[in-house]
Amino acid sequence: MTQPLHLEALVETCRWIGHKGWAPATGGNMSVREDARWCWLSESGRDKGSLTRDDFLQVEIATNTAPSGRKPSAETGLHTLIYRLFPEANAVLHVHTVNATVLSRIETSPLLRLQGYEMQKSLAGQQSHLDTVDIPLFDNDQDIAALAERIAQYAETTPLRYGFLLRGHGLTCWGRDVSEARRHLEGLEFLFECELRLRQLERK
């Protein structure tokens, strides 16, 4: 089997994520799409800051199975769901940042609503700080198949763009390529930090 050329860009992004401390203690998982049938997903239990191409497994998008017999990430079903829902998505990043995790705990509504930040324009299609960016929140679940089904049902009736938060867990985001997914991750993480600090100041 031949690995996709853009896997090297994902490896570099994983090292960048690891350097920032956004996937601590082997947490997090990342993937790229090969084609309509296959994606390449980080192997379970690997430190994301030191991944190589050999640490990614080919996974069938329709079945979540890895022909190699090795164990892909626990959140494999979320990656394959995104590839099924969004044919234009070609890279998925799942991280455990402090900002995303804390915000997901203190936001009581099913949406984290962001508005008024210039950095919203780091997200594809956003033209103005006056626009509203809604990031859905889903309750965490150790049953990934059930969680994926809840997210799929939500996406049937509500636009799902850029990413979503899992309560007490972290952020999953995607893009048309690795570069866009990385930009979305960095932009959302900046927005999350701003929002968290703003809420802290408002409480004083």
Side-chain angles (χ1 to χ4, degrees):
M1 68 186 67
T2 302
Q3 294 178 326
L5 294 176
H6 51 295
L7 184 56
E8 191 59 43
L10 182 60
V11 170
E12 180 184 342
T13 293
C14 289
R15 292 172 181 165
W16 169 76
I17 289 170
H19 178 73
K20 286 183 170 291
W22 289 354
T26 75
N29 35 80
M30 298 79 184
S31 69
V32 292
R33 183 197 294 272
E34 177 181 345
D35 53 29
R37 182 180 179 187
W38 301 100
C39 65
W40 289 78
L41 191 69
S42 53
E43 188 168 14
S44 179
R46 302 287 186 179
D47 173 56
K48 302 311 178 292
S50 57
L51 292 178
T52 69
R53 294 173 70 101
D54 293 337
D55 294 313
F56 287 83
L57 313 181
Q58 189 182 45
V59 173
E60 189 171 37
I61 293 171
T63 65
N64 298 329
T65 58
S68 66
R70 291 158 62 193
K71 184 181 178 182
S73 165
E75 281 89 16
T76 293
L78 301 184
H79 289 252
T80 56
L81 171 67
I82 291 165
Y83 291 132
R84 292 195 301 272
L85 288 177
F86 307 113
E88 70 278 11
N90 287 296
V92 179
L93 306 175
H94 171 64
V95 296
H96 298 173
T97 71
V98 172
N99 295 321
T101 303
V102 173
L103 271 177
S104 74
R105 292 290 303 274
I106 65 175
E107 177 58 62
T108 57
S109 77
L111 286 175
L112 174 64
R113 181 154 287 174
L114 303 169
Q115 188 178 41
Y117 299 106
E118 182 68 13
M119 276 297 289
Q120 291 171 206
K121 295 193 294 186
S122 65
L123 306 174
Q126 292 295 318
Q127 303 297 325
S128 171
H129 67 287
L130 299 175
D131 295 334
T132 299
V133 176
D134 288 335
I135 304 299
L137 287 99
F138 300 98
D139 290 336
N140 194 23
D141 196 327
Q142 299 305 305
D143 185 339
I144 297 300
L147 175 57
E149 179 60 27
R150 280 194 282 119
I151 296 172
Q153 290 175 357
Y154 176 93
E156 288 179 359
T157 59
T158 309
L160 189 59
R161 303 182 67 190
Y162 314 121
F164 55 79
L165 288 165
L166 301 178
R167 293 193 188 278
H169 188 155
L171 168 69
T172 299
C173 63
W174 55 88
R176 290 170 293 184
D177 53 29
V178 175
S179 177
E180 184 174 85
R182 175 171 170 164
R183 190 180 80 242
H184 287 168
L185 168 58
E186 189 168 23
L188 286 169
E189 175 60 17
F190 176 87
L191 292 167
F192 292 164
E193 183 171 0
C194 288
E195 186 69 13
L196 186 58
R197 291 192 184 190
L198 182 61
R199 294 186 185 198
Q200 291 169 338
L201 289 170
E202 290 173 343
R203 289 182 178 181
K204 292 182 179 180

